[in-house]
Amino acid sequence: MAEPRTQPAQPSEPLSDAPVPKVVVSRLSLYLRELQRLEAAGQQTISSGQLGTLLGFSDAQVRKDLGFFGQFGYPGVGYRCDELIRAMRDILGTNHPWSVAMVGVGNLGQALLGYRGFGRQNFAIAAAFDADLAKVGQVIQGIRIQPLDELAETVRTLGIRLGMIVVPVGAAQEAADRLVAAGVEGIVNFAPVTLVLPHHVQNVGVDLAIELEQLSFAVTTKLTRAGGTDADEGGGRAGNGHAGAV
Amino acid sequence: MAEPRTQPAQPSEPLSDAPVPKVVVSRLSLYLRELQRLEAAGQQTISSGQLGTLLGFSDAQVRKDLGFFGQFGYPGVGYRCDELIRAMRDILGTNHPWSVAMVGVGNLGQALLGYRGFGRQNFAIAAAFDADLAKVGQVIQGIRIQPLDELAETVRTLGIRLGMIVVPVGAAQEAADRLVAAGVEGIVNFAPVTLVLPHHVQNVGVDLAIELEQLSFAVTTKLTRAGGTDADEGGGRAGNGHAGAV
DNA sequence: CGGTGTGAAAGTTTTCACAGCG
DNA sequence: CGCTGTGAAAACTTTCACACCG
């Protein structure tokens, strides 16, 4: 932060008002994940070519993606890991903590309550709700399960902006409606159904069976782009495949 | 199956050898999911426009996507749900059962072992492995946890072709190596790391923190295409957002 | 009519290739 | 040199629009 810099600025925000392709943002998360790993391993700088190779993208794609948000590199050197990490987190919005409301505390919900990966990226499940009154009052992973009736008030009181739906498929839409009514701005939905939401509420779906379906197809057939394992030449690198929001 | 048909054929395989875009296949899974819901609700036929509206896509996109695989519709009528479901499952490869090997039976692994959604789409977790010898021998959800040493033999004996990695990030690459050595053809990876895999092994990544990161960005900013919740006009439909393979 | 299937046009994303910088 | 940042070209995907069918 207090480093003397020569030229690179880090606007860290969409730069122009040009809309950023969704696919670029999904790669940003991968860049960040890899950069954090590299930094932890002691690497100070990295070039677009190296970063791309690690993830199965071209050097040009890495540079173009970053170019949507500013100029972060040093010609002849590459990018400084620490700076780029900070910039990515600024862009993705994870330099500040996010509170998340979980609805549905079954097997999967309980596992997610204990998942350490959220905290590492600055997400905290701040409240959890379940329709089953037998669960209400239990404390799981330090969180007291609340009844659905308390959802709206708790969400407002804690200033929660994101929700996570982990209920059975039949209860998902109602859970979504409650979260929306409480003022949540985005929802991650683990139920295998397409939610009906107002346009101002963002939505990411994770359908575990669909991930396997995509693999089933890929194992059987050839795809056009970045299919299944992708990119990379020769030896053994794995490229990357992420499921794609449902 | 014994219906008299007029004209529609259902090639159900890539039709020509033209490679199919990955994004098309991901939408196929969504079409299938929606069709199954509609059929369960008693609907017999559906038009491309209706199906598209339910998922936030255009009618033309639905028709183009299906067009990669054959001709399934009846002009003036639409598609018969039962026929289209069967065709989609043939294409995705889920008309026959798949056995999956799970590596790592922690909180998340145990939750996935009990997840009913896999079975509904013809996936069965047929074996589970863990490095923790205290877990080995336990029976969870009807599956006996085996030591990693038995992975190769079990995978071969059971003819398992797909693997699922649910170990901590530091153990993921080794788990992948073992699965690959055992002859698995595709891997779903829940660990937040990019695996190095041979090119012939397909790979889908699910990074739970990245899903939230994408939401964090979407809530903060405007995206270009299918951003967060997308598509649809007026009232309240939710479009669809699936995360995108890592 | 209402709706499919499909070329052709429009729009978007990726790759190329190169000027410029330290 | 090695590597970034970026216009311009190429590739790919989506939308349009219409012939054709029951």
Side-chain angles (χ1 to χ4, degrees), chain B residues 91-109:
Chain B
I91 293 163
L92 291 169
T94 56
N95 266 332
H96 69 81
W98 289 88
S99 292
V100 181
M102 170 179 287
V103 186
V105 194
N107 285 326
L108 184 57

Side-chain angles (χ1 to χ4, degrees), chain A residues 195 197 201 205 229 238 241-246, chain B residues 195 197 201 205 229 236 238 241-246:
Chain A
L195 300 175
L197 299 176
V201 178
T229 289
H242 188 154
V246 181
Chain B
L195 300 174
L197 299 176
V201 178
T229 290
H242 189 151
V246 182

Side-chain angles (χ1 to χ4, degrees), chain B residues 16-213:
Chain B
S16 76
D17 58 357
V20 180
K22 191 187 164 104
V23 60
V24 168
V25 183
S26 72
R27 284 193 298 262
L28 246 44
S29 280
L30 297 176
Y31 299 153
L32 174 56
R33 190 174 79 179
E34 196 65 26
L35 286 163
Q36 288 174 322
R37 192 181 66 78
L38 290 164
E39 189 187 44
Q43 191 162 337
Q44 304 249 305
T45 67
I46 189 164
S47 67
S48 58
Q50 290 174 302
L51 186 53
T53 298
L54 287 167
L55 294 166
F57 305 131
S58 71
D59 57 337
Q61 183 149 70
V62 172
R63 293 198 301 277
K64 259 280 150 77
D65 285 348
L66 299 180
F68 276 98
F69 301 96
Q71 305 193 152
F72 306 103
Y74 300 85
V77 179
Y79 304 87
R80 290 194 46 170
C81 293
D82 57 352
E83 283 178 15
L84 198 49
I85 286 170
R86 159 165 279 271
M88 295 293 98
R89 292 176 62 114
D90 274 346
I91 293 163
L92 291 169
T94 56
N95 266 332
H96 69 81
W98 289 88
S99 292
V100 181
M102 170 179 287
V103 186
V105 194
N107 285 326
L108 184 57
Q110 293 182 32
L112 296 178
L113 271 178
Y115 183 60
R116 309 299 304 283
F118 293 138
R120 271 180 234 132
Q121 301 305 333
N122 243 337
F123 296 99
I125 297 172
F129 305 88
D130 203 292
D132 180 356
L133 296 179
K135 280 187 187 134
V136 168
Q138 285 183 36
V139 176
I140 299 178
Q141 299 285 341
I143 298 284
R144 198 188 109 255
I145 311 305
Q146 299 176 255
L148 282 175
D149 289 343
E150 295 178 11
L151 190 150
E153 195 190 330
T154 300
V155 162
R156 277 192 268 263
T157 304
L158 300 183
I160 291 173
R161 300 171 62 191
L162 303 179
M164 193 179 272
I165 293 180
V166 204
V167 300
V169 61
Q173 184 62 53
E174 195 208 322
D177 293 343
R178 282 182 185 264
L179 286 167
V180 170
V184 149
E185 293 166 62
I187 292 175
V188 180
N189 173 32
F190 286 88
V193 65
T194 297
L195 300 174
V196 178
L197 299 176
H199 288 139
H200 63 275
V201 178
Q202 304 299 312
N203 148 42
V204 168
V206 181
D207 185 320
L208 301 168
I210 282 184
E211 317 303 354
L212 279 172
E213 256 177 30

Side-chain angles (χ1 to χ4, degrees), chain A residues 26-42:
Chain A
S26 73
R27 285 193 297 264
L28 245 45
S29 280
L30 297 175
Y31 299 153
L32 174 56
R33 189 174 79 178
E34 196 64 26
L35 286 163
Q36 289 174 323
R37 192 182 66 77
L38 290 165
E39 189 187 45

Side-chain angles (χ1 to χ4, degrees), chain A residues 14 19-22 25-26 29-30 32-34 37 54-55 69 91-94 98 100 107-108 111-112 115 117-118 120-121 123 141 161-164 185-188 190-199 201-229 231-234 236-246, chain B residues 14 19-22 25-26 29-30 32-34 37 54-55 69 91-94 98 100 107-108 111-112 115 117-118 120-121 123 141 161-164 185-188 190-199 201-229 231-234 236-246:
Chain A
V20 179
K22 191 187 163 104
V25 182
S26 73
S29 280
L30 297 175
L32 174 56
R33 189 174 79 178
E34 196 64 26
R37 192 182 66 77
L54 288 168
L55 294 167
F69 301 95
I91 292 163
L92 291 168
T94 57
W98 288 87
V100 181
N107 284 326
L108 184 57
L112 295 178
Y115 183 59
F118 294 138
R120 270 180 234 131
Q121 301 305 333
F123 297 99
Q141 299 285 342
R161 299 172 63 190
L162 303 179
M164 193 179 272
E185 294 165 62
I187 291 174
V188 179
F190 286 88
V193 65
T194 297
L195 300 175
V196 178
L197 299 176
H199 288 139
V201 178
Q202 304 299 313
N203 148 43
V204 168
V206 180
D207 185 320
L208 302 169
I210 282 184
E211 317 303 354
L212 279 172
E213 255 176 31
Q214 297 294 304
L215 207 50
S216 158
F217 180 91
V219 161
T220 311
T221 325
K222 286 291 175 301
L223 294 167
T224 272
R225 159 203 249 78
T229 289
D232 306 4
E233 322 72 45
R237 189 142 286 300
N240 107 341
H242 188 154
V246 181
Chain B
V20 180
K22 191 187 164 104
V25 183
S26 72
S29 280
L30 297 176
L32 174 56
R33 190 174 79 179
E34 196 65 26
R37 192 181 66 78
L54 287 167
L55 294 166
F69 301 96
I91 293 163
L92 291 169
T94 56
W98 289 88
V100 181
N107 285 326
L108 184 57
L112 296 178
Y115 183 60
F118 293 138
R120 271 180 234 132
Q121 301 305 333
F123 296 99
Q141 299 285 341
R161 300 171 62 191
L162 303 179
M164 193 179 272
E185 293 166 62
I187 292 175
V188 180
F190 286 88
V193 65
T194 297
L195 300 174
V196 178
L197 299 176
H199 288 139
V201 178
Q202 304 299 312
N203 148 42
V204 168
V206 181
D207 185 320
L208 301 168
I210 282 184
E211 317 303 354
L212 279 172
E213 256 177 30
Q214 296 294 302
L215 209 50
S216 157
F217 180 91
V219 161
T220 310
T221 325
K222 285 290 174 299
L223 294 167
T224 271
R225 158 203 252 77
T229 290
D232 304 8
E233 322 73 42
R237 189 143 284 303
N240 106 341
H242 189 151
V246 182

